[in-house]
Amino acid sequence: MSWFPCSKSGGGIKKGGILSSQAAAPGQSGYINFARIKILDNYANHTCYFTIQNRGVYFPILLSIGFQNINHTDPGLISFLYWGATDYGIYAVRNTISTWDLYVNKIEPHDTVEILSLVYDTSHFEITFPCGFAAEKGGDWMSPQPGGGGLQGQTMFMTAVMVAVLLFPIINLKNFMTI
């Protein structure tokens, strides 16, 4: 098993630690397709973690998405959770067999979404940043559930934000990426 805190095909660290900054369909309201998860192997029951932010929301959100433990490459979701701001309008939808797309509602017509950190198992997933656009939400789109409160949930969220914003760019620049 191999863990890598960035996309295999998404490039290196850019813009002061931002992995991806996407502004699909400037001037239009709708949804930005900010990530595509391709399942590569059986038993892909590992969780993928994203830390994202967009304009008009002043604190990042930690998003986790987990898949069923089954013996094929097209599992359903077992968990889809968030910690942080509640007004993001994030959705997951199965695009094709073995492929899931993540969307975020544009807060304003000239909105951007930025992926600050990403941790996933590269032996089971390939994650890309398609920068797609949908004018309307589909009927089969799923919303994440709150990731739990209390001290444990808050501690997990704050740790993820610290890693994403403070430590992750430094670690990546030093050990993982070439600029």
Side-chain angles (χ1 to χ4, degrees), residues 22-156:
Q22 304 171 46
Q28 297 181 41
S29 296
Y31 302 86
I32 298 173
N33 177 203
F34 69 91
R36 177 165 291 147
I37 303 170
K38 174 77 175 165
I39 300 165
L40 304 175
D41 201 1
N42 299 328
Y43 300 109
N45 61 324
H46 303 278
T47 303
C48 303
Y49 296 96
F50 297 82
T51 307
I52 66 169
Q53 69 179 12
N54 62 339
R55 289 175 64 169
V57 181
Y58 300 103
F59 206 71
I61 185 171
L62 172 63
L63 182 69
S64 74
I65 184 166
F67 298 93
Q68 294 171 325
N69 186 23
I70 55 177
N71 188 20
H72 61 76
T73 60
D74 192 31
L77 295 183
I78 191 109
S79 68
F80 187 34
L81 305 170
Y82 73 90
W83 290 264
T86 60
D87 51 356
Y88 267 79
I90 296 174
Y91 301 94
V93 63
R94 188 186 311 255
N95 179 320
T96 59
I97 294 173
S98 302
T99 305
W100 288 80
D101 282 345
L102 299 178
Y103 288 86
V104 65
N105 186 25
K106 293 173 74 173
I107 301 296
E108 56 188 61
H110 293 281
D111 200 359
T112 59
V113 61
E114 296 167 336
I115 300 174
L116 304 176
S117 70
L118 170 56
V119 178
Y120 67 102
D121 176 1
T122 59
S123 66
H124 285 88
F125 305 106
E126 176 182 87
I127 298 180
T128 57
F129 311 124
C131 195
F133 177 76
E136 296 183 9
K137 181 174 72 165
D140 54 349
W141 291 20
M142 295 174 267
S143 298
Q145 299 300 309
L151 187 56
Q152 181 180 3
Q154 293 171 8
T155 301
M156 180 179 172

Side-chain angles (χ1 to χ4, degrees), residues 138-178:
D140 54 349
W141 291 20
M142 295 174 267
S143 298
Q145 299 300 309
L151 187 56
Q152 181 180 3
Q154 293 171 8
T155 301
M156 180 179 172
F157 175 68
M158 291 309 298
T159 301
V161 169
M162 284 178 34
V163 168
V165 176
L166 302 174
L167 303 176
F168 188 75
I170 296 166
I171 292 168
N172 273 330
L173 290 174
K174 183 177 179 187
N175 298 321
F176 295 108
M177 299 293 158
T178 57

